[in-house]
Amino acid sequence: MNNYMERTEDSVLHTYNRFPIVLESGEGVYLKDTDGKEYLDFAAGIAVYALGYHYPGFDEALKSQIDKIVHTSNLYYNVPLADAAKKLIKASGMDKVFFTNSGTEAIEGAIKAARKYAYLKDGCTDHEIIAMNHSFHGRSVGALSVTGNPHYQEAFKPLMGGVKFAQFNDLDSVKEQVTEKTCAIILETVQGEGGIYPAEKEFLEGVRKLCTEKDILLILDEIQCGMGRCGSMFTWQQYGVEPDIMTTAKALGCGVPVGAFVLNKKVAEHSLVPGDHGTTYGGNPFACAAVSKVFDLFESAGVVEHVQEVAPYLVQKLDELVEKNPCFLSRRGLGLMQGIVVGNGIKVGDVVKAAQKEGLMVISAGSDVLRLVPPLVIEKNHVDEMAEKLQAAVNALTTEK
Ligand SMILES: *Cc1c(COP(=O)(O)O)cnc(C)c1O
């Protein structure tokens, strides 16, 4: 194990402080490291592995696509692209999709589509975008520009211009930033990295109304909260608020790197045209075979219905843990995207490490939130096991003190 860690640090740029764990395999909702230690996985590769590891039929679909063709470029048509696009359009009720290789790239595309839409309306090139404080949209210069975290941005300035920030869940603060030049408002339906903050219904409805009145495009980033995680295929669907542009990634390929931005009819018909945007890999047959199979399995396994059933049980167990443990201050979240605020002299990072010792994988969000984003196929017995292990981790931490 040390050998792999050393070799990695020797040659991989040190941009992550990794945990001293070398993961080797997964089965169902469990991970195994190179020492053979098992972990109940409530992190899912950061909300990626919605179906857990080796879900029946998934690997077979990937292998069968490898045997046919992995990549073609976008100069030609391919079969999985047609299937995956159709299924994503059906699941979202939107109009057109562009597949990317990551969430960040989906954000880039969304920004470009919004700017092009505004450009076609008035011919101007000084449009503005309103983003939220404590948001996270990715690490490229464009996506970073709309990420409301000065700490991530500072060293990389100047970033993309024309971005203004407002307070999430504060409609007046958004209205204050609107000008004649505003072309889009971008926000996560549930803020993830910022600390698991679901949008309030009145806020999202208010932003939608504002956007509709002024023909500003609403971009909802569903990269982390979408794909069933919060109890509907896309989280905005349970708010009754439709975006003009949506981004998705993370669980979209259940481990295969893929993202997408999806446009409603209005934007699809008045924005990007041939020559405006492209990608070598995006939408390749391998990635799209994964997306296509993910949608099939979500439907046949009733994943969204399962989330609706198991999430209240997770919430109940987490609330019990908050009740029992003074270091757990509160819980918030939606569906299987949950956060516990950690405090009272205990650091969230220490809880994460103590949980790992107990064989439980959890992660943090923001500076003080314990994030639980398990595979969507977890059962109640896994929730019980998580609660026991998390309690054991807290006990170990507090007796240590
Ligand atoms: C993870 C994430 C991104 C960035 O996705 P990458 O695939 O890491 O580029 C963007 N937005 C949200 C809400 C995310 O959670």
Side-chain angles (χ1 to χ4, degrees), residues 46 101-105 107 136-139 188 190-193 221-225 247 249-250 258 371:
I46 317 186
N101 311 290
S102 68
T104 298
E105 286 168 82
I107 297 292
F136 182 84
H137 299 292
R139 303 289 201 148
E188 295 152 88
V190 181
Q191 286 194 331
E193 304 300 314
D221 181 349
E222 292 255 340
I223 289 169
Q224 185 162 165
C225 66
T247 56
K250 288 197 164 84
V258 58
R371 174 168 33 163

Side-chain angles (χ1 to χ4, degrees), residues 49-91:
Y49 266 99
L51 294 165
Y53 305 94
H54 310 295
Y55 193 90
F58 188 55
D59 295 1
E60 291 77 1
L62 300 185
K63 286 172 186 172
S64 124
Q65 187 58 45
I66 288 173
D67 287 338
K68 288 180 191 144
I69 193 164
V70 168
H71 179 77
T72 57
S73 90
N74 283 309
L75 300 178
Y76 316 96
Y77 294 90
N78 72 72
V79 177
L81 173 64
D83 291 340
K86 198 105 207 135
K87 289 169 193 175
L88 179 48
I89 289 309
K90 182 163 172 251

Side-chain angles (χ1 to χ4, degrees), residues 4-168:
Y4 292 112
M5 284 159 34
E6 254 166 50
R7 272 164 53 188
T8 302
E9 295 302 340
D10 269 355
S11 42
V12 173
L13 188 67
H14 188 82
T15 57
Y16 285 99
N17 289 318
R18 294 170 199 265
F19 295 107
I21 295 170
V22 183
L23 291 174
E24 192 168 56
S25 62
E27 190 57 52
V29 296
Y30 292 89
L31 285 162
K32 212 179 248 181
D33 69 18
T34 47
D35 286 347
K37 184 178 160 84
E38 240 185 26
Y39 304 85
L40 174 64
D41 187 8
F42 266 60
I46 317 186
V48 164
Y49 266 99
L51 294 165
Y53 305 94
H54 310 295
Y55 193 90
F58 188 55
D59 295 1
E60 291 77 1
L62 300 185
K63 286 172 186 172
S64 124
Q65 187 58 45
I66 288 173
D67 287 338
K68 288 180 191 144
I69 193 164
V70 168
H71 179 77
T72 57
S73 90
N74 283 309
L75 300 178
Y76 316 96
Y77 294 90
N78 72 72
V79 177
L81 173 64
D83 291 340
K86 198 105 207 135
K87 289 169 193 175
L88 179 48
I89 289 309
K90 182 163 172 251
S92 63
M94 295 179 77
D95 194 54
K96 290 284 193 310
V97 52
F98 182 103
F99 286 106
T100 65
N101 311 290
S102 68
T104 298
E105 286 168 82
I107 297 292
E108 294 294 328
I111 292 171
K112 281 180 71 177
R115 282 183 159 186
K116 181 74 191 288
Y117 176 86
Y119 173 81
L120 288 177
K121 264 197 319 187
D122 63 12
C124 293
T125 54
D126 56 353
H127 296 109
E128 297 169 353
I129 294 176
I130 300 172
M132 302 298 137
N133 289 322
H134 306 294
S135 61
F136 182 84
H137 299 292
R139 303 289 201 148
S140 64
V141 171
L144 194 56
S145 303
V146 291
T147 289
N149 184 332
H151 176 71
Y152 288 165
Q153 293 185 334
E154 183 58 24
F156 306 102
K157 289 180 172 176
L159 298 172
M160 181 182 85
V163 181
K164 295 176 152 189
F165 286 93
Q167 204 57 28
F168 191 66

Side-chain angles (χ1 to χ4, degrees), residues 132 137 168-169 186-192 196-201 203-204 218-226 230 232 234-239 241 243 245-247 334 337:
M132 302 298 137
H137 299 292
F168 191 66
N169 278 336
I186 182 168
L187 58 100
E188 295 152 88
T189 318
V190 181
Q191 286 194 331
I196 317 293
Y197 290 95
E200 284 161 14
K201 194 164 194 299
F203 173 70
L204 206 54
L218 175 60
I219 305 173
L220 290 180
D221 181 349
E222 292 255 340
I223 289 169
Q224 185 162 165
C225 66
C230 294
S232 49
F234 296 104
T235 303
W236 51 265
Q237 290 167 333
Q238 57 187 287
Y239 284 78
V241 168
I245 305 175
M246 166 182 81
T247 56
L334 202 59
M337 184 170 178

